[in-house]
Amino acid sequence: MKESQEDKIISEFLNSIGPWREFIVIGGGFALFIYKLYFADPKLKNTPVGTRDIDSLIPRRVPEISKKNIAKHLYEAGFTHVFKDVDIPATEAYVKEIDGLEIEIEFLTDSATRNDKNKNVEIGGIVAQPLSYLSLSLRMTTEFQTSSGERGRVVSPGAWIFHKGLTFPKRKSSSKTLKDLYGIWFVATQLEDFSDQALAEFNMLTIQHSKWFETFGKNLHNWVDNATPAEWSKLEAQDPAGKLKRLSFERVIQRLLHNRH
């Protein structure tokens, strides 16, 4: 995907959700493009791996800021509503072709509730899937502006690294696990000054959430200690620029786990 294409997709999504953008935070793989496009040195060549899913994080409670709910805004912007399972309420996505690519929007919320932790929840007219540890990603956000002037919010990079390290073992497919690990490496190493900021923020968050940091450390140690040569090869193959090597990944993990102040 060309960078201008990513910019166009992000702009169109933000435009489509109208005033609800105030409460929606972009996470997942699209966060990497936002970091690269709007925060890193434009001369940097290493572009992240393409993704066609926009993970949209939303708090469990949002004020009604528009007569039209989120689903209505997306429908009017040309998105098609699809059901992904038979849960009640069913997991759903919103799909649209933007600049020649089929883009899928999914909504996620935090599971920090006493009852029905893993049950889908309706918020602002859409159904969001609960995800563990998401409260931090909803709280730690960074504002950005696209080339066409659309304003949005993205999970801040330190929180993004933290969340991926906490949740990657729960992924249902090994390809998604590898994408998460690649993303940790990319955010921590490939964006120069912005990567330094990400690591500084991550260190601060690990001090505030020491129990979570223990889990983060165990998850990464387990993967590194048990990965087969084939899994290492698959991880290295995630990076289209060919910079991700086992040694550089292990160095990043060492830095994340031992660089606390």
Side-chain angles (χ1 to χ4, degrees):
M1 284 192 270
K2 303 184 295 292
E3 286 200 353
S4 56
Q5 188 177 36
E6 299 300 343
D7 178 58
K8 195 169 178 179
I9 289 164
I10 295 160
S11 295
E12 188 155 338
F13 167 65
L14 291 170
N15 184 261
S16 299
I17 55 176
W20 294 100
R21 74 179 76 187
E22 282 182 49
F23 300 99
I24 289 171
V25 182
I26 296 176
F30 253 92
L32 273 56
F33 282 99
I34 291 169
Y35 301 153
K36 172 76 171 66
L37 283 167
Y38 311 122
F39 296 104
D41 185 335
K43 292 192 287 293
L44 281 178
K45 289 284 181 274
N46 195 2
T47 301
V49 169
T51 178
R52 297 184 176 198
D53 302 337
I54 300 180
D55 289 343
S56 302
L57 320 183
I58 186 167
R60 282 186 166 254
R61 289 191 177 82
V62 290
E64 199 176 319
I65 54 163
S66 168
K67 291 264 191 289
K68 291 184 282 201
N69 64 23
I70 301 167
K72 180 90 168 139
H73 273 280
L74 289 168
Y75 177 72
E76 289 184 356
F79 282 85
T80 303
H81 179 219
V82 295
F83 293 110
K84 304 197 79 174
D85 57 30
V86 291
D87 290 353
I88 301 173
T91 304
E92 62 181 24
Y94 292 83
V95 179
K96 183 182 180 181
E97 190 175 292
I98 302 175
D99 204 31
L101 280 180
E102 188 173 82
I103 299 301
E104 188 171 292
I105 315 294
E106 284 195 353
F107 290 91
L108 305 167
T109 192
D110 69 88
S111 62
T113 177
R114 287 185 183 172
N115 305 315
D116 296 330
K117 269 187 188 303
N118 301 311
K119 191 174 163 58
N120 288 344
V121 55
E122 192 169 319
I123 306 166
I126 52 87
V127 171
Q129 304 166 61
L131 201 60
S132 52
Y133 302 109
L134 206 70
S135 52
L136 188 64
S137 300
L138 283 162
R139 187 165 56 82
M140 300 296 296
T141 66
T142 303
E143 289 191 10
F144 68 91
Q145 187 170 339
T146 68
S147 304
S148 60
E150 299 288 349
R151 292 183 178 276
R153 289 162 67 215
V154 65
V155 177
S156 64
W160 194 96
I161 290 171
F162 208 172
H163 188 259
K164 288 300 180 187
L166 286 164
T167 57
F168 77 86
K170 297 179 181 175
R171 291 293 230 166
K172 292 190 175 102
S173 75
S174 62
S175 65
K176 289 191 171 176
T177 296
L178 293 169
K179 275 201 171 54
D180 288 352
L181 294 171
Y182 156 82
I184 291 170
W185 168 84
F186 185 90
V187 177
T189 63
Q190 296 301 294
L191 299 169
E192 294 187 344
D193 291 351
F194 189 75
S195 288
D196 294 339
Q197 291 169 31
L199 292 169
E201 181 189 72
F202 173 79
N203 286 336
M204 176 197 76
L205 293 173
T206 62
I207 292 161
Q208 293 172 3
H209 301 273
S210 55
K211 279 271 183 272
W212 286 11
F213 182 63
E214 280 176 32
T215 304
F216 179 96
K218 278 181 199 154
N219 289 347
L220 286 165
H221 274 309
N222 282 343
W223 194 88
V224 168
D225 293 346
N226 296 303
T228 63
E231 284 170 321
W232 279 110
S233 294
K234 284 180 188 168
L235 177 60
E236 290 176 352
Q238 295 296 307
D239 179 26
K243 292 183 180 177
L244 173 51
K245 301 293 178 204
R246 176 173 179 166
L247 187 61
S248 65
F249 185 81
E250 288 179 331
R251 276 195 192 126
V252 169
I253 301 311
Q254 285 299 316
R255 198 168 168 197
L256 288 168
L257 298 183
H258 303 293
N259 208 19
R260 302 173 81 198
H261 304 302

